[in-house]
Structures are given as structure tokens and as C-alpha cells.
Amino acid sequence: SQQGEEDPQALSIQEGENATMNCSYKTSINNLQWYRQNSGRGLVHLILIRSNEREKHSGRLRVTLDTSKKSSSLLITASRAADTASYFCVLRAGSSYKLIFGSGTRLLVRP
Amino acid sequence: NAGVTQTPKFQVLKTGQSMTLQCAQDMNHNSMYWYRQDPGMGLRLIYYSASEGTTDKGEVPNGYNVSRLNKREFSLRLESAAPSQTSVYFCASSLGASNTGELFFGEGSRLTVL
């Protein structure tokens, strides 16, 4: 399968702690994106990292990409209860319109 | 700014009935997509439209048809609904192939087929 595989499938942490989610994949990619989905809502784009980039920051988010290991990680620092959601890594291979979604990591941040 | 709007938000059908899910975007995007999401899973692409006037099959097109009515609107039709089509359907749009590929999603349409 080309899809991203997120690890862990579920994560429960205390507010204020950091949350790290990992994504592994098998295909060559153009870019890799992370999306958040609150329960019962649509997905919201968080951050995109291109295949020639190794690290990217956006606010409390830090994404790394290791194309040699075909893996990416999303770090959320100083987590808040509002960060409770599912997080998906999404692969874009070449010029394909067919973005490939992983099955997601369910994050619970306890107040 | 509405973004991507889907209707209806909820629908219950009986097996064999037909229905159309509507999607409209007001961001002047070229590309539009229909995905389905089943419990505990990521999204799977049903159909997409790279630009006005074109549509292509995704991973799971069987049982569905689409129409790119104009640049703003992309509809998904179930001709004869089956229980296996019970799912949450998401419409999305993106600027087009030359951009980064960021998708903008609607809020979803929850369909139950009895």
C-alpha cells in the first residue's frame, strides 16, 4: 500500500505535554502534509513539507521529514485540550491529484 | 467567506434509492474532489475533477457518478444506494496541479443506507 501509516493509532497526554505522531510511507513523494480533524468535522490543513525540506515549523507545530527512511513526524508542543483531534499524514506523489491519506492518530489531551 | 459548502449534512436512504450530494466552493479553485471516510479510517478518493470539464476515477468509484457542473460546483450521485455506501462524504477543493496541493474541506455529509 502507498498510504501513510501513522503511529501511534491513539495517544493520550496531559495538557502542557508534548505530543509526537509519526508517519511512515512506501512511495516516493512530492510533499507530505498534515491535517487535523475535530470530531464530526472536516479536515483542516496544518502544515506542508516538501521532499527537499527536512524540518518545518508553524506556531506550536514542528514537522520533520526523512526521505531516506520514508518517515515524517509531527510534534505539537505545550498541548492544549483544544488540540484533541485526529491527525492525518497525507502524501502527494509526483504530480498526482490523488493525495494518499493515512488512517490517522487520535490525540486526546486531558485538562 | 464560506469556503467549501456541502449539502445535505445528513441523509438516510433505503437500499436502491438514489440521491445527489452537492458541493460548491467560492475560492476560485480549479480542482475538486469527493472522498469517503469510514469509521477509524482515513479518507479514500472516490472521484476528482482536475479542472472544469474533466472528471477522473479515484480509488473507490464503483456505485458513484459525478458531474462538474461549472468551476464552482461538483456533485456526487448515488444511482442505487447500497448499505456499503453508508459513510461520511467529504468534498474538497484545491487551487490546482501547479500549487502545493493543499486541500480545503467541507464539513461532511453523513449518509446512512438502510
Side-chain angles (χ1 to χ4, degrees):
Chain A
S1 168
Q2 292 180 311
Q3 74 178 50
E5 305 268 349
E6 282 101 336
D7 172 59
Q9 291 187 340
L11 180 61
S12 179
I13 60 174
Q14 203 71 35
E15 202 165 29
E17 294 180 339
N18 295 341
T20 299
M21 289 159 265
N22 301 296
C23 173
S24 60
Y25 57 92
K26 296 179 179 178
T27 188
S28 296
I29 62 169
N30 184 317
N31 65 49
L32 186 147
Q33 304 176 43
W34 287 89
Y35 286 77
R36 183 187 73 228
Q37 184 180 33
N38 291 89
S39 181
R41 307 296 298 274
L43 281 75
V44 175
H45 181 263
L46 294 176
I47 196 165
L48 177 150
I49 186 165
R50 293 183 174 81
S51 59
N52 62 354
E53 297 176 312
R54 292 297 166 258
E55 187 171 314
K56 206 159 183 183
H57 296 256
S58 176
R60 294 184 296 113
L61 305 180
R62 173 177 168 256
V63 169
T64 62
L65 179 64
D66 187 335
T67 52
S68 66
K69 295 182 179 178
K70 289 187 164 53
S71 67
S72 174
S73 67
L74 171 67
L75 169 67
I76 303 174
T77 60
S79 63
R80 306 166 181 168
D83 294 328
T84 294
S86 291
Y87 292 81
F88 294 89
C89 72
V90 182
L91 316 176
R92 182 181 170 102
S95 62
S96 171
Y97 287 93
K98 300 180 185 180
L99 296 185
I100 303 164
F101 284 75
S103 55
T105 292
R106 296 186 307 280
L107 173 65
L108 172 64
V109 181
R110 305 186 305 274
Chain B
N1 188 354
V4 178
T5 304
Q6 292 181 231
T7 57
K9 287 186 168 47
F10 300 94
Q11 183 73 50
V12 178
L13 293 177
K14 295 181 180 178
T15 296
Q17 288 185 319
S18 62
M19 77 158 297
T20 300
L21 299 177
Q22 307 285 355
C23 175
Q25 52 89 11
D26 63 2
M27 296 173 282
N28 201 34
H29 284 171
N30 292 306
S31 303
M32 298 185 73
Y33 312 78
W34 276 105
Y35 288 90
R36 60 176 288 173
Q37 184 178 33
D38 299 301
M41 296 180 66
L43 275 65
R44 291 183 291 169
L45 182 64
I46 305 171
Y47 271 93
Y48 67 99
S49 171
S51 61
E52 186 179 356
T54 68
T55 61
D56 284 287
K57 295 178 180 180
E59 300 172 69
V60 288
N62 291 344
Y64 305 95
N65 286 301
V66 291
S67 295
R68 182 75 183 266
L69 304 170
N70 48 55
K71 191 171 186 179
R72 290 187 65 248
E73 298 172 290
F74 189 37
S75 63
L76 178 71
R77 182 160 179 84
L78 287 70
E79 291 291 353
S80 178
S84 60
Q85 294 178 304
T86 293
S87 189
V88 181
Y89 291 85
F90 288 97
C91 177
S93 69
S94 68
L95 191 57
S98 61
N99 79 322
T100 57
E102 177 184 347
L103 295 180
F104 294 80
F105 283 85
E107 290 294 298
S109 298
R110 190 175 298 272
L111 174 65
T112 301
V113 183
L114 302 175

